[in-house]
Amino acid sequence: MENEAISRNFIENMIDKDLAEGVYTTVHTRFPPEPNGYLHIGHAKSILLNYGLAKEYKGKFNMRFDDTNPTKEKTEFVESIMEDIRWLGADWEDRLFYASDYFPQMYEAAVALIKKGKAYVCDLTAEQIREFRGTLTEPGKESPYRNRSIEENLTLFEEMKAGKYADGTKVLRAKIDMASPNMNMRDPVIYRVAHVPHHRTGDSWCIYPMYDFAHPLEDAIEGITHSICTLEFEDHRPLYDWVVHEVGMFENPPRQIEFAKLYLTNVVTGKRYIKKLVEDKIVDGWDDPRLVSIAALRRRGFTPESIRMFVDLVGVSKGNSSVDYAMLEYCIREDLKTKAPRYMAVLDPLKVVIDNYPEGQTEYLDAPNNMENEELGVRQIPFGRELYIEREDFMVEPPKKYKRLYPGAEVRLMNAYYVTCTSWDTDADGTITAVHVTYDPQTRGGSAPDGRKVKGTIHWVEVSQAKAVKVRLYENIIDESKGVYNEDGSLNLNPNSLTECLAYVEPALAAAHAYDRFQFVRNGFFCADFRDSQEGEPVFNRIVSLKSSFKL
Ligand code: ATP
Ligand code: MG
């Protein structure tokens, strides 16, 4: 029990206190994305945090589209966001909301503020408003329109709504304090004119609420108790509180709590950078497996479990920091280690001929599907006179400690026999074209009756039944830690971010379907691509290699 109490994060501690003091009697959270792009790994943290808290406290979790800015929002994004959240396992049940449904209530809230003398219509241009705002060291200047009468403000605001004014000519501002040390409190704009159709409300509105006004109202209307957002909104909290209290329509207004954003090093996390890569067609859409959008991670082969494990490991804090991408890789390896069947695949083939194996003979050998998980059973793999092995598994003049095949060396072919290298063939350029070996028929299954040991075990695929498939290997598209841009302003792209090759795999892998995941022995974890795989012709994306630089 004590340990449990210690490991609680600061948000849980705040909620515990609220519940103990009776500030709230229940916990009600939400995830409020703006449908202006695809969700990324950072959003996953926010989703799982909010959903997890609602579950933990047996409260409610709302899915809400924060669609109050029609210029950047699209239905395409609404759909992808829902798909991603469902996939992550956060279930909003029937609690799906759209902030645009509250436009009438938001309008009423603005009118209520005007009636209280707490909001006014201002004719200053955006640039003038900026100039009048002052700086961190100097107070702002009051707008000449600040003292309009309530009646005049009501009329003007209604006319704004009726479409009488052009974009940018009039705004509604909260009347707070032009000398506040918090710039957000210097009469912020709360409504603007924008003659832009909205993806849900069409042409019904030509005025739209600003984020800092809309967001607290959305939370309050839905009865949210704890409105969890990222650290950059900390300075906006006084305004959040001002709105829910001054509007005065809510009995028990929500509380805003901020936590640090999740940043990943060594990959591109910013929505704006991802967008640029997509628009410049440097990547194959928002779900290109080199990206860290949720859609891309899913396509690459990450599991929801691995992302949940990652978010749990990262934890929740108040301090900004970044987490290495290697930690995410660690999580998917952990998740797939015992779940994924292990098959043999050769990415860079070199032919091996077993000179003393009967020509034209094929036999079938037992191979466990996962040495660490017997439940996955055993399969049969074809074996014959000609095999492929990895080119790097043979060397004519090996360095010390080389444990694979070289002239005179005996090694184990995984799940098969011991073989000894006798000679090799080269072409006119000296490139090795084949390796000759002899096998010991007594060693079927991979051990010798006389107890003699071999130092190395190598994987292989039988030539006549091998299936050639397309395989994609990835590196980071841009190393953000080395700078996203070059000096000339171009993107600092890694030319090796995508390598496509043909690999020879066990025949059974021809039947792989989209999202089937495997370990290819020694080569890493792979997932059949859902876009490019055809029936009988899978294309495999490497999720992650087996080697890890990350230690927990
Ligand atoms: P971006 O800055 O990438 O465009 P955003 O904050 O504009 O993201 P929204 O759709 O407004 O995207 O965000 C929805 C929710 O996700 C917000 O509550 C936001 O605080 C949270 N969120 C966004 N990015 C991160 C992140 N990197 N880590 C944790 N939470 C995040
Ligand atoms: Mg945003």
Side-chain angles (χ1 to χ4, degrees):
M1 265 327 268
E2 206 174 335
N3 274 343
E4 223 170 87
I6 289 168
S7 68
R8 293 177 80 68
N9 66 48
F10 79 97
I11 298 181
E12 291 168 317
N13 290 334
M14 288 174 88
I15 296 178
D16 289 347
K17 189 160 175 282
D18 280 347
L19 293 174
E21 291 173 357
V23 182
Y24 300 106
T25 53
T26 161
V27 174
H28 197 158
T29 60
R30 86 287 176 262
F31 177 67
E34 189 181 354
N36 64 354
Y38 283 72
L39 297 182
H40 53 64
I41 183 78
H43 294 112
K45 176 168 179 173
S46 175
I47 293 161
L48 295 171
L49 174 63
N50 280 291
Y51 176 67
L53 288 169
K55 290 277 274 195
E56 180 185 342
Y57 290 94
K58 303 202 166 33
K60 290 180 188 150
F61 169 71
N62 285 9
M63 169 68 219
R64 180 206 311 148
F65 285 102
D66 197 343
D67 57 349
T68 55
N69 178 5
T71 46
K72 291 190 279 175
E73 295 159 5
K74 281 202 259 170
T75 306
E76 174 199 349
F77 297 132
V78 169
E79 270 147 31
S80 79
I81 287 172
M82 290 204 278
E83 187 185 352
D84 291 349
I85 298 175
R86 275 202 201 96
W87 178 76
L88 278 175
D91 183 1
W92 61 84
E93 296 164 10
D94 58 352
R95 312 194 58 79
L96 171 63
F97 303 96
Y98 292 87
S100 54
D101 287 345
Y102 313 141
F103 283 158
Q105 281 144 287
M106 292 175 184
Y107 180 78
E108 285 311 314
V111 169
L113 286 182
I114 296 174
K115 286 185 176 160
K116 277 175 87 177
K118 298 281 185 178
Y120 61 96
V121 173
C122 181
D123 299 4
L124 293 181
T125 63
E127 200 180 322
Q128 287 169 324
I129 290 177
R130 219 172 298 125
E131 279 167 23
F132 275 56
R133 189 179 290 139
T135 64
L136 283 172
T137 49
E138 284 165 59
K141 273 194 304 187
E142 294 189 352
S143 160
Y145 304 100
R146 196 173 200 262
N147 295 313
R148 277 176 163 154
S149 70
I150 289 173
E151 281 63 40
E152 190 185 2
N153 281 320
L154 285 172
T155 309
L156 289 172
F157 189 49
E158 207 177 307
E159 288 173 352
M160 279 168 66
K161 176 177 179 256
K164 195 165 168 192
Y165 303 110
D167 294 6
T169 55
K170 279 190 170 44
V171 292
L172 185 71
R173 298 177 68 175
K175 194 170 183 176
I176 310 179
D177 178 5
M178 289 307 291
S180 171
N182 183 336
M183 303 285 283
N184 296 306
M185 301 299 273
R186 295 186 185 172
D187 291 10
V189 174
I190 58 176
Y191 256 96
R192 70 199 165 107
V193 178
H195 291 266
V196 179
H198 184 279
H199 72 109
R200 294 188 80 241
T201 59
D203 292 321
S204 306
W205 295 86
C206 64
I207 55 170
Y208 292 97
M210 303 301 286
Y211 180 87
D212 280 337
F213 181 64
H215 202 83
L217 292 177
E218 294 159 24
D219 287 340
I221 289 167
E222 291 177 12
I224 300 301
T225 55
H226 298 85
S227 173
I228 297 165
C229 64
T230 44
L231 227 43
E232 72 272 25
F233 291 101
E234 197 164 22
D235 288 348
H236 297 241
R237 193 188 331 136
L239 180 53
Y240 184 101
D241 291 339
W242 186 93
V243 170
V244 290
H245 288 101
E246 290 297 338
V247 162
M249 298 172 170
F250 312 103
E251 235 171 74
N252 199 9
R255 155 211 286 282
Q256 176 179 302
I257 303 174
E258 310 85 16
F259 73 100
K261 268 196 176 183
L262 169 64
Y263 289 103
L264 274 190
T265 53
N266 294 320
V267 284
V268 181
T269 37
K271 203 193 273 176
R272 150 174 102 88
Y273 296 139
I274 294 180
K275 202 168 183 162
K276 178 143 176 59
L277 291 168
V278 173
E279 281 167 1
D280 293 355
K281 299 209 171 5
I282 289 162
V283 294
D284 171 25
W286 281 92
D287 63 3
D288 185 294
R290 289 167 290 180
L291 300 174
V292 288
S293 61
I294 309 251
L297 292 170
R298 177 171 59 231
R299 181 172 172 193
R300 176 121 170 211
F302 282 84
T303 56
E305 291 83 352
S306 66
I307 293 177
R308 291 200 291 262
M309 184 197 298
F310 173 68
V311 165
D312 284 346
L313 275 178
V314 172
V316 188
S317 86
K318 261 296 207 203
N320 272 318
S321 65
S322 16
V323 179
D324 202 293
Y325 181 72
M327 188 157 151
L328 184 58
E329 295 188 315
Y330 165 84
C331 294
I332 187 68
R333 281 191 201 100
E334 280 297 298
D335 187 35
L336 294 182
K337 195 165 63 183
T338 52
K339 266 193 208 166
R342 299 178 186 180
Y343 280 68
M344 296 197 282
V346 173
L347 302 192
D348 184 14
L350 174 62
K351 196 178 269 188
V352 168
V353 182
I354 306 172
D355 290 320
N356 62 338
Y357 194 90
E359 244 167 288
Q361 178 176 309
T362 306
E363 65 182 303
Y364 290 85
L365 301 167
D366 283 348
N369 285 327
N370 188 317
M371 271 88 76
E372 293 178 56
N373 180 3
E374 275 182 23
E375 280 174 28
L376 293 188
V378 174
R379 70 185 181 286
Q380 300 241 295
I381 47 176
F383 184 83
R385 183 180 155 91
E386 293 195 341
L387 314 172
Y388 292 118
I389 63 167
E390 299 287 350
R391 192 161 276 278
E392 64 171 28
D393 286 348
F394 173 74
M395 281 182 111
V396 177
E397 290 171 44
K400 266 190 203 145
K401 293 191 181 164
Y402 187 78
K403 293 198 181 102
R404 304 174 202 168
L405 204 54
Y406 55 90
E410 185 170 51
V411 298
R412 176 188 295 109
L413 293 173
M414 185 174 281
N415 303 312
Y417 293 96
Y418 284 10
V419 292
T420 305
C421 175
T422 51
S423 65
W424 67 96
D425 302 333
T426 54
D427 64 11
D429 302 330
T431 306
I432 298 166
T433 52
V435 176
H436 292 269
V437 300
T438 55
Y439 86 120
D440 176 355
Q442 300 289 313
T443 57
R444 193 175 202 265
S447 59
D450 65 6
R452 81 181 184 280
K453 299 279 183 239
V454 287
K455 289 218 180 75
T457 300
I458 61 178
H459 65 277
W460 52 274
V461 175
E462 193 273 326
V463 170
S464 71
Q465 294 193 48
K467 171 79 187 164
V469 296
K470 198 195 269 182
V471 164
R472 299 176 181 143
L473 310 176
Y474 303 105
E475 286 179 21
N476 301 328
I477 188 154
I478 289 178
D479 187 346
E480 239 175 359
S481 63
K482 295 204 181 100
V484 174
Y485 294 105
N486 296 314
E487 270 170 24
D488 66 357
S490 60
L491 284 164
N492 179 18
L493 296 172
N494 172 2
N496 303 319
S497 63
L498 169 65
T499 308
E500 279 196 345
C501 61
L502 272 187
Y504 289 111
V505 300
E506 292 181 33
L509 284 167
H513 291 112
Y515 294 117
D516 285 350
R517 299 178 183 88
F518 304 93
Q519 182 183 135
F520 289 173
V521 174
R522 283 188 30 223
N523 283 314
F525 291 101
F526 289 74
C527 178
D529 190 272
F530 87 99
R531 274 194 199 290
D532 302 322
S533 296
Q534 307 275 333
E535 192 64 37
E537 294 292 338
V539 172
F540 289 102
N541 301 329
R542 178 150 74 184
I543 313 168
V544 65
S545 67
L546 296 182
K547 292 186 203 87
S548 174
S549 54
F550 179 80
K551 292 270 179 312
L552 194 64

